[in-house]
Amino acid sequence: MTAAVFFGCTFIAFGPAVSLFLFTIAREPLRVIFLIAGAFFWLVSLLLASLVWFISVQISNKESASQQKGLLIFGVVLSVLLQETFRFAYYKLLKKANEGLLALSQEETMPISIRQLAYVSGLGFGFMSGAFSVVNILADSVGPGTIGIHGDSQHYFLSSAFMTMAIILLHMFWGVVFFDGCDKQRWLAVAAVVISHLVVSCLTFQNPQYISSLVPTYIIMFSMGIWAFYTAGGSLRNLKLCLTCKDKDFLLANHRPR
């Protein structure tokens, strides 16, 4: 049973993201490099947030439950703000890198478009975020111990897997909307990404009432997915052509830089 839980939760959490990686990124070395760099930027943001939170805990009153809860909320908010700050820094870096690649290239167009960079970097953020979100939970799923033996929810692992999948996909959608907002100076879109990220992160405080956190998170995920789809130039017409395999240029693997 533990093996089924482990592999089942892993498949749910990372299945869609791994599929996207294999079909749209794995064959392009440049995209793989940018994805790894995006994951590294997210990791640095987590390192800084962890360092600040650790120092705050050490100088606080550890016997005060309210103070420790406040520090936990502070840590979550700080982590989100640092992640979005590093997303902006990565956008600036990619803009410079793309200009350099264009200067070195003999082509008139950029070797990789901003839309592709937004998607790839967002997926890189999502992969690293998902790994840190669920790796310890998956390790615990092999035992020892039994979830729910004291009346707790039996859906702990399953809920964590679905939340991780949502976070990974949200980072991809946030990346697309965020980069487009920065590129076109639509700062309301950038603010919407930051606020929705804060909301999703704070919803986890509703656990173990998993319905209270999962349902709003998936509503936000689908909303951001639709927004990212239209931001990337999508429409109902080319979606229909893509699903029927009649518009190969719509697929990212064959998408021409714009």
Side-chain angles (χ1 to χ4, degrees):
M1 183 63 182
T2 54
V5 171
F6 179 88
F7 289 109
C9 291
T10 303
F11 179 79
I12 291 171
F14 293 100
V18 171
S19 299
L20 289 170
F21 172 78
L22 292 176
F23 284 107
T24 63
I25 297 176
R27 296 181 181 179
E28 297 290 337
L30 196 59
R31 293 175 188 170
V32 174
I33 292 172
F34 285 129
L35 182 140
I36 295 173
F40 174 76
F41 267 69
W42 186 92
L43 190 60
V44 174
S45 74
L46 179 66
L47 177 63
L48 289 178
S50 300
L51 181 61
V52 173
W53 182 80
F54 177 78
I55 294 173
S56 301
V57 170
Q58 294 304 312
I59 63 177
S60 67
N61 181 8
K62 296 181 180 180
E63 297 180 357
S64 173
S66 60
Q67 194 173 102
Q68 294 303 311
K69 183 177 180 180
L71 283 175
L72 181 61
I73 296 173
F74 165 74
V76 170
V77 173
L78 176 66
S79 177
V80 170
L81 295 178
L82 282 175
Q83 286 176 50
E84 297 306 329
T85 300
F86 272 80
R87 197 193 303 274
F88 180 74
Y90 191 46
Y91 161 77
K92 287 292 188 180
L93 178 64
L94 290 179
K95 285 282 287 186
K96 293 293 184 182
N98 225 7
E99 292 172 3
L101 289 173
L102 181 60
L104 294 174
S105 175
Q106 296 181 354
E107 301 291 336
E108 295 183 356
T109 58
M110 292 185 179
I112 181 169
S113 69
I114 289 296
R115 290 175 180 175
Q116 292 174 355
L117 287 172
Y119 163 75
V120 171
S121 64
L123 195 58
F125 269 58
F127 265 123
M128 191 58 69
S129 176
F132 273 83
S133 297
V134 81
V135 64
N136 289 331
I137 296 173
L138 291 175
D140 290 341
S141 69
V142 299
T146 302
I147 294 294
I149 195 171
H150 294 298
D152 299 323
S153 174
Q154 297 282 345
H155 305 297
Y156 172 67
F157 295 120
L158 190 62
S159 301
S160 299
F162 276 105
M163 178 60 78
T164 300
M165 180 181 69
I167 292 295
I168 294 174
L169 295 178
L170 272 169
H171 269 293
M172 184 179 70
F173 301 146
W174 284 330
V176 173
V177 175
F178 189 96
F179 275 42
D180 182 77
C182 292
D183 200 43
K184 298 178 180 177
Q185 296 186 348
R186 296 175 177 172
W187 305 118
L188 286 177
V190 175
V193 169
V194 177
I195 292 171
S196 61
H197 194 171
L198 282 169
V199 170
V200 169
S201 297
C202 291
L203 280 172
T204 57
F205 291 121
Q206 297 294 322
N207 295 336
Q209 298 177 358
Y210 298 113
I211 294 179
S212 300
S213 59
L214 281 174
V215 172
T217 296
Y218 271 80
I219 291 174
I220 294 173
M221 185 192 76
F222 283 114
S223 301
M224 292 303 302
I226 294 171
W227 189 353
F229 174 73
Y230 283 104
T231 297
S235 67
L236 292 176
R237 177 181 176 276
N238 56 26
L239 177 61
K240 180 180 178 180
L241 292 173
C242 177
L243 293 175
T244 56
C245 300
K246 294 180 180 179
D247 186 9
K248 295 182 179 179
D249 287 336
F250 179 74
L251 300 175
L252 184 62
N254 298 291
H255 186 71
R256 297 186 183 92
R258 300 178 181 177

